[in-house]
Amino acid sequence: MVLGVNFPKFELYSNTLTLDTPIEFIKGIGPERAKLLQQTLGINNVGDFLQFYPVRYLDKSKIYLISELNESLPEIQLQGKISELSELGVGRSKRLRAKFQDRSGSMELIWFQYSKWLKEQIPIGKELFIFGKITKFNNVFSMAHPEIEIQDNAPRPQHLIPIYPSSEKLTKRGLSQKFFRVLLKTLCLELPNLVQENLPQTVLEQYQLLSRESALLNTHFPQTVDWQLKADKRLKFEEAFFFQLAYGLKKQHHAASAVGHPFRVVGAFFKSFYADQLPFELTEAQKRVLKEIREDMRRPIQMNRLLQGDVGSGKTMVALLSMLLAKDNGFQSCLVAPTEILAQQHYIGISKLLEPTGLKVGLLTGSTKKAERELLHQDLRSGALSILIGTHAVFEKTVQFHNLGLCIIDEQHRFGVAQRATLWAKNKIAPHILVMTATPIPRTLAMSFYSDLDVSVIDELPVGRKAIITVHKKEKDRLSVYKFCEEEIQKGRQIYFVYPLIEESETLAYKNLQEGYAHITEYFKNYTCTMLHGKMLAKEKQKAMDEFARGDSQIMVATTVIEVGVNVPNASVMVIESTERFGLSQLHQLRGRVGRGADQSYCILMSSEKLGAESRKRIKTMCQTNDGFKISEVDLEIRGPGDMLGTQQSGVVDFKRLDLIKDYEIIKQTKDLVASLLKKDPKLQSPEHSGLKVYYLKNYRSKTKWSKIS
Ligand code: ADP
Ligand code: MG
């Protein structure tokens, strides 16, 4: 017998019930709860309910003693007797209290807003099992609204009890653990009529997976831990499989439909630049990546490639050489940067490198003057201009190319998918696309997320770079930090001080920067300090950058405008203020502004005394490693994939069981499996694949549109 708060009963109409049946049609849910389920948990129909998986399980095979209780325990089971029952309070604060004892001690059971019926049902003096979450109040342990089971001689199942992702607020409004358990139990009885297998039989055998039906049953009501794990494995596998299938099909579609310009020759521009102008030997990783890009662009299929390379790994040179290949094949190319400063810097660097080749390079940003802009437009249309460097201004409709063959987007994480999309409209045949990012995405994520892009990785820094030394300092250390900076300046080095943007208050951010600047100029009065922030005009910003780059100023006090790509090799110290306000990838980007020359560089993370657990983890990670991939993995752990990629709209990363970090093996297995499956049966026509085809069309096709760059 099971007792407790109002215990809903559910009736189903099993002959008509399908996965699409709206939850309103399940008797006993009622319109109010149905609305709440839709709004707070996104559960609309029977299918959603079956995929509303438990977050954890209560192990009924374990019985705790009152003497070993502590508040951190999850929901637990105790065995004992109720000895006293009393009613307390009046009106709304009325409650029922019972004393519960086992052989090790006693505790309280509490019911709020209980019915007379419930009170009469409470079994005093009988041997019981109770379940619930322990809290401690006035030094006494108590359990509110426990589930009670009277001990009789019937054999007790040793199963795990599912705990669903609910909250106290939802519980109060009728969505209690018991509600979910009873409802799902009822639905699980219908499983044979409701679900069909969606993986091929051969796959189930090869990977030793439970059937879909059995997996759902055993995830909600596992008989043992072992069965629960088997169910878990099957559900993860299924999620990974269909995710890979969606992208596999999309890639297949792309290969068949995305016509591209074949760059067949490696010509004079590339060859002579490579032989005569290259200022350094390419790293092995740069060579490999360049080869991958060349192979891609040689085909009459549009390239769609993501180039990942840590800060300072030399992506710009790869971009430049790729643009020369475009030129050799008679095509124009453009390089798009996220900020004006960065576009300017690319323009200056690349123009200088290309000077001996006589190639014409243009710069187009938001602040390009009208007359200049018109000239650029003309040269682009006529084809006189081979390479255009710019900001998102190059995406404007008025910018028309003669024949754009390659578009490179630098520091991709700053661009939205929407912006990239407009690129397609530029030409009848779409240009090859190379997206470069310095915020490496964890390998698992790249593999699952960008499986419609090809991914190249520069996993090696140019020789001779010294690892940046990173330390964590607090306000009390400020003077010693300044002193250290001064010593570096005396050695001829330059320093950055960076202040966070404060989203809630731009004014406050500005004030912090101004105050910081005043403080720094006072201490470093014998040196020149430059300030740089987002509110300055483009011209002023450029002037400040130039001053610092020339070495006329020793200290740059800035907001995060300098985050991306700024290159002053003589700068050797990066002091980050209020580090706790920055995200990990941003910190890594900022740190990448130093360590660009041959000198030992330092990154000093300033923070307040008190730090939250997440901030501590971020700072610790920064102090421990310079490896962008490792950092991105920690970042993924902290933030979750949707947030990390800035694609909240993606229903696709919303995995229920799959963990992108921990389940790397499954992701890899399914990727290979899907690849070979599609090779044999690209249109999923074989009878063996009919189940998965139906499931795919119903559940995945519409969800995956967003990630297409077009
Ligand atoms: P990122 O990948 O962060 O964009 P950059 O392309 O700006 O890096 O390169 C960082 C610095 O390293 C630049 O000063 C560049 O000239 C230099 N560099 C790039 N490749 C090499 C190489 N193979 N050997 C030596 N220096 C290199
Ligand atoms: Mg760069």
Side-chain angles (χ1 to χ4, degrees):
M1 189 175 82
V2 179
L3 288 177
V5 278
N6 293 339
F7 204 35
K9 287 214 169 53
F10 302 100
E11 280 175 43
L12 300 170
Y13 310 96
S14 42
N15 50 342
T16 54
L17 197 73
T18 71
L19 293 178
D20 296 322
T21 306
I23 49 175
E24 295 91 293
F25 292 106
I26 302 172
K27 255 198 187 169
I29 285 195
E32 209 164 297
R33 268 197 294 234
K35 204 166 146 204
L36 196 61
L37 283 165
Q38 280 162 352
Q39 284 171 349
T40 57
L41 300 169
I43 299 175
N44 296 303
N45 55 34
V46 169
D48 293 341
F49 237 127
L50 284 174
Q51 293 203 319
F52 183 65
Y53 300 143
V55 271
R56 48 198 170 77
Y57 300 86
L58 183 154
D59 189 352
K60 267 204 177 178
S61 60
K62 163 98 183 149
I63 297 169
Y64 281 84
L65 286 174
I66 293 174
S67 61
E68 52 180 352
L69 294 186
N70 68 66
E71 274 193 293
S72 66
L73 288 171
E75 301 198 14
I76 54 152
Q77 169 176 244
L78 295 156
Q79 182 178 16
K81 284 180 186 163
I82 290 176
S83 57
E84 290 163 27
L85 194 63
S86 52
E87 282 186 278
L88 308 164
V90 284
R92 289 182 129 258
S93 64
K94 207 168 91 166
R95 60 200 188 276
L96 189 62
R97 188 173 68 184
K99 187 171 173 189
F100 181 80
Q101 279 177 301
D102 70 3
R103 62 188 158 87
S104 75
S106 69
M107 60 178 283
E108 281 182 359
L109 308 181
I110 302 274
W111 290 266
F112 306 98
Q113 294 174 7
Y114 54 94
S115 67
K116 187 158 163 267
W117 175 83
L118 180 106
K119 197 181 114 193
E120 285 163 2
Q121 300 289 311
I122 290 178
I124 300 174
K126 290 195 177 146
E127 219 22 74
L128 311 169
F129 294 103
I130 63 166
F131 310 92
K133 176 91 181 88
I134 296 293
T135 52
K136 199 172 188 179
F137 188 68
N138 280 344
N139 237 3
V140 180
F141 282 110
S142 70
M143 189 185 278
H145 297 266
E147 267 184 66
I148 297 177
E149 204 175 295
I150 296 174
Q151 192 181 352
D152 43 28
N153 290 328
R156 301 188 69 232
Q158 297 285 298
H159 56 224
L160 304 176
I161 307 293
I163 312 267
Y164 291 95
S166 187
S167 63
E168 203 179 318
K169 211 169 129 203
L170 292 179
T171 304
K172 276 195 188 135
R173 297 181 61 186
L175 302 183
S176 63
Q177 290 299 328
K178 200 164 298 168
F179 166 86
F180 289 118
R181 277 176 216 152
V182 173
L183 180 59
L184 275 155
K185 196 137 223 173
T186 322
L187 290 178
C188 280
L189 291 175
E190 301 291 327
L191 275 173
N193 305 323
L194 284 172
V195 301
Q196 260 118 42
E197 185 51 63
N198 57 12
L199 293 175
Q201 199 54 39
T202 49
V203 172
L204 296 186
E205 279 160 25
Q206 188 185 348
Y207 294 92
Q208 301 187 329
L209 302 171
L210 293 186
S211 71
R212 182 160 167 72
E213 187 188 322
S214 170
L216 286 170
L217 181 63
N218 279 293
T219 208
H220 288 293
F221 301 102
Q223 291 298 318
T224 62
V225 174
D226 199 42
W227 278 98
Q228 188 263 316
L229 292 176
K230 278 187 195 153
D232 205 43
K233 178 181 161 195
R234 147 80 208 211
L235 296 173
K236 282 167 187 258
F237 195 94
E238 179 184 301
E239 281 188 311
F241 180 90
F242 282 97
F243 188 75
Q244 298 293 359
L245 185 67
Y247 281 109
L249 287 169
K250 190 188 280 177
K251 206 165 158 182
Q252 195 175 282
H253 175 76
H254 181 79
S257 63
V259 197
H261 302 291
F263 291 179
R264 295 221 163 82
V265 299
V266 179
F269 282 107
F270 184 95
K271 282 187 189 151
S272 69
F273 183 87
Y274 200 95
D276 307 329
Q277 256 82 51
L278 207 61
F280 37 68
E281 169 88 8
L282 293 185
T283 62
E284 286 310 308
Q286 282 170 316
K287 285 183 197 164
R288 188 188 64 236
V289 162
L290 200 60
K291 201 166 152 220
E292 287 166 356
I293 294 171
R294 249 172 69 181
E295 292 295 322
D296 257 16
M297 298 196 301
R298 218 205 298 267
R299 300 179 303 164
I301 299 170
Q302 182 216 18
M303 172 173 77
N304 212 355
R305 191 170 275 279
L306 177 72
L307 172 55
Q308 299 203 47
D310 215 337
V311 219
S313 61
K315 293 184 293 294
T316 316
M317 189 49 77
V318 172
L320 175 56
L321 288 163
S322 307
M323 294 196 289
L324 290 176
L325 277 174
K327 177 68 193 168
D328 275 338
N329 287 273
F331 285 94
Q332 293 170 297
S333 41
C334 71
L335 171 61
V336 187
T339 64
E340 255 191 81
I341 292 188
L342 195 55
Q344 294 251 10
Q345 195 176 282
H346 276 322
Y347 174 70
I348 294 166
I350 287 174
S351 311
K352 203 155 119 201
L353 281 165
L354 290 183
E355 218 177 322
T357 67
L359 274 183
K360 202 164 173 186
V361 182
L363 174 69
L364 179 65
T365 70
S367 55
T368 305
K369 295 255 162 46
K370 194 160 176 247
E372 216 175 311
R373 188 180 284 254
E374 267 158 19
L375 265 171
L376 270 175
H377 285 176
Q378 255 175 38
D379 284 354
L380 279 173
R381 273 197 302 271
S382 72
L385 195 68
S386 305
I387 293 177
L388 179 68
I389 294 170
T391 56
H392 54 270
V394 308
F395 294 142
E396 279 162 26
K397 276 212 180 68
T398 47
V399 183
Q400 302 284 335
F401 289 83
H402 173 62
N403 59 359
L404 180 62
L406 170 65
C407 178
I408 301 175
I409 299 177
D410 195 13
E411 315 294 354
Q412 169 264 349
H413 64 291
R414 284 291 187 91
F415 284 102
V417 176
Q419 257 172 347
R420 286 191 265 156
T422 58
L423 279 170
W424 272 186
K426 298 260 136 172
N427 287 66
K428 273 208 194 76
I429 293 185
H432 295 297
I433 301 284
L434 180 66
V435 175
M436 306 200 293
T437 171
T439 310
I441 297 161
R443 277 164 245 260
T444 42
L445 202 54
M447 206 162 87
S448 20
F449 227 94
Y450 290 111
S451 42
D452 60 334
L453 295 185
D454 294 296
V455 180
S456 290
V457 180
I458 306 186
D459 49 6
E460 172 189 10
L461 293 178
V463 283
R465 296 272 170 82
K466 289 199 179 77
I468 301 163
I469 296 173
T470 303
V471 291
H472 178 204
K473 297 280 168 189
K474 297 187 170 172
E475 208 44 48
K476 62 176 168 28
D477 310 313
R478 185 168 288 279
L479 269 185
S480 68
V481 169
Y482 282 0
K483 229 184 177 139
F484 174 77
C485 291
E486 193 171 7
E487 283 162 22
E488 283 293 302
I489 296 174
Q490 278 161 0
K491 284 191 219 157
R493 305 283 101 80
Q494 288 164 282
I495 320 283
Y496 291 106
F497 281 88
V498 178
Y499 286 80
L501 281 171
I502 301 174
E503 267 175 31
E504 310 86 89
S505 165
E506 212 183 324
T507 328
L508 187 61
Y510 189 61
K511 189 168 153 257
N512 284 350
L513 177 76
Q514 294 288 350
E515 277 174 12
Y517 182 72
H519 200 255
I520 290 163
T521 42
E522 193 186 303
Y523 183 92
F524 294 95
K525 49 180 169 296
N526 300 327
Y527 305 98
T528 311
C529 302
T530 307
M531 185 158 59
L532 185 65
H533 58 80
K535 280 187 175 170
M536 286 160 59
L537 295 176
K539 222 166 64 191
E540 295 168 347
K541 277 189 214 161
Q542 195 54 48
K543 197 170 149 251
M545 267 319 295
D546 289 345
E547 189 176 71
F548 189 66
R550 277 198 309 270
D552 292 350
S553 134
Q554 290 77 43
I555 298 173
M556 164 73 84
V557 183
T559 56
T560 44
V561 275
I562 63 152
E563 178 189 335
V564 174
V566 167
N567 191 19
V568 179
N570 190 48
S572 68
V573 183
M574 166 65 65
V575 183
I576 300 178
E577 299 283 351
S578 306
T579 305
E580 60 269 38
R581 286 189 170 270
F582 291 92
L584 256 183
S585 67
Q586 227 182 351
L587 289 173
H588 183 58
Q589 278 291 315
L590 284 169
R591 177 167 61 184
R593 298 312 106 211
V594 296
R596 310 197 133 231
D599 313 301
Q600 177 61 55
S601 291
Y602 305 88
C603 175
I604 302 173
L605 305 172
M606 301 294 294
S607 83
S608 54
E609 292 292 327
K610 268 201 173 156
L611 290 171
E614 266 185 27
S615 308
R616 264 206 307 277
K617 186 163 185 179
R618 287 197 293 259
I619 291 174
K620 192 168 151 217
T621 306
M622 285 294 292
C623 294
Q624 276 171 348
T625 183
N626 277 298
D627 181 340
F629 279 101
K630 285 208 186 105
I631 288 174
S632 70
E633 269 163 25
V634 178
D635 205 21
L636 176 64
E637 237 176 85
I638 296 179
R639 290 203 286 158
D643 190 25
M644 183 158 183
L645 292 161
T647 47
Q648 261 88 353
Q649 76 273 34
S650 60
V652 190
V653 266
D654 186 17
F655 293 118
K656 290 187 160 54
R657 277 290 189 245
L658 194 69
D659 182 315
L660 286 172
I661 300 173
K662 294 192 190 120
D663 298 325
Y664 181 72
E665 270 314 306
I666 294 181
I667 293 173
K668 204 164 148 7
Q669 271 175 357
T670 51
K671 190 181 171 94
D672 296 344
L673 172 64
V674 165
S676 76
L677 186 147
L678 284 177
K679 206 165 166 190
K680 274 187 250 151
D681 184 13
K683 297 209 159 104
L684 304 178
Q685 282 162 329
S686 120
E688 199 203 356
H689 297 148
S690 65
L692 73 87
K693 189 172 181 177
V694 169
Y695 187 82
Y696 168 78
L697 290 176
K698 181 160 189 263
N699 295 284
Y700 282 81
R701 193 170 51 177
S702 60
K703 279 193 196 167
T704 47
K705 276 193 193 123
W706 66 272
S707 95
K708 200 163 172 166
I709 291 184
S710 56

